[in-house]
Amino acid sequence: EPEVTQTPSHQVTQMGQEVILRCVPISNHLYFYWYRQILGQKVEFLVSFYNNEISEKSEIFDDQFSVERPDGSNFTLKIRSTKLEDSAMYFCASSLSGGYSGTQYFGPGTRLTVL
Amino acid sequence: AQRVTQPEKLLSVFKGAPVELKCNYSYSGSPELFWYVQYSRQRLQLLLRHISRESIKGFTADLNKGETSFHLKKPFAQEEDSAMYYCALSGSRDDKIIFGKGTRLHILP
């Protein structure tokens, strides 16, 4: 069964550094998402992406964040200048259709630790 | 405000006993409700959703619009049900899913 994959599984970085988290969505899916979960807190929506543009973003997704689909398979989340509070588990998800009719399939997550 | 509340952080239930994981929501409109599950060291996966009205692994959930609840139930717990369970919602035009904080279900032998 096809799955969403994410690399790396764990990323450690210094505050102020740029990080890129990578995701390979399920191949025929058209909608892509990033969520994050700070330790002990709920999973929070960051951004959704469709047709090569952001379709929805949360208040968390400020100018420090960007997303890109650089080729036909990868979907990346970039954090330009990491802060301590960016430490979290970041989940990528993809779906065949959008809105609540589309089931979102999640990747295993990347644990980001900012020192 | 759009919100999902799961009042229990941890629920311990003996094997064979009934399970009920509580979920209440706040949303202006008619959301779709979901239950996601995360087994140990595995990814978040959809367990069931209201619109499909399925029973998955013996679990069911009934949407009560009057009480704005979507509690998850199973008549007889099994040890393999131990996991983290997240109630979630999405609006009809939304892409985003709003999650509750989750309830850890621990099935005692």
Side-chain angles (χ1 to χ4, degrees), chain B residues 17-20 57-60 72-78 80-81:
Chain B
V19 174
E20 184 179 46
K57 299 185 181 186
F59 284 98
T60 58
L72 184 69
K73 297 177 185 179
K74 184 169 181 176
F76 307 104
Q78 298 171 283
E80 54 265 33
D81 296 329

Side-chain angles (χ1 to χ4, degrees), chain A residues 8-21 77-88 90 110-115:
Chain A
S9 56
H10 192 186
Q11 172 93 45
V12 181
T13 190
Q14 295 289 326
M15 191 169 60
Q17 294 295 305
E18 175 184 285
V19 292
I20 297 176
L21 308 183
L77 175 69
K78 183 194 291 187
I79 308 175
R80 280 191 194 79
S81 177
T82 49
K83 306 184 190 73
L84 295 177
E85 54 265 37
D86 292 328
S87 294
Y90 287 80
T110 292
R111 181 167 299 285
L112 177 65
T113 302
V114 183
L115 303 175

Side-chain angles (χ1 to χ4, degrees), chain A residues 11-50:
Chain A
Q11 172 93 45
V12 181
T13 190
Q14 295 289 326
M15 191 169 60
Q17 294 295 305
E18 175 184 285
V19 292
I20 297 176
L21 308 183
R22 291 185 166 77
C23 168
V24 179
I26 294 172
S27 62
N28 63 336
H29 283 187
L30 302 174
Y31 294 77
F32 315 111
Y33 315 85
W34 283 101
Y35 292 81
R36 79 170 185 192
Q37 186 177 30
I38 295 171
L39 189 63
Q41 297 188 26
K42 60 178 70 177
V43 176
E44 300 172 289
F45 169 79
L46 292 177
V47 66
S48 59
F49 191 86
Y50 168 70

Side-chain angles (χ1 to χ4, degrees), chain B residues 8 20 24 35 41-42 44 54 70 82 85 92-93:
Chain B
E8 303 135 331
E20 184 179 46
N24 288 90
W35 278 97
R41 297 190 192 86
Q42 293 188 29
L44 207 55
E54 291 178 292
F70 190 58
S82 291
Y85 290 81
S92 59
R93 288 190 176 79

Side-chain angles (χ1 to χ4, degrees), chain B residues 6-41:
Chain B
Q6 293 180 251
E8 303 135 331
K9 269 181 118 168
L10 172 67
L11 185 66
S12 296
V13 172
F14 283 103
K15 180 179 162 184
V19 174
E20 184 179 46
L21 299 171
K22 291 188 169 27
C23 172
N24 288 90
Y25 66 92
S26 171
Y27 188 85
S28 53
S30 293
E32 171 65 350
L33 276 298
F34 309 87
W35 278 97
Y36 277 81
V37 61
Q38 190 171 28
Y39 299 102
S40 179
R41 297 190 192 86

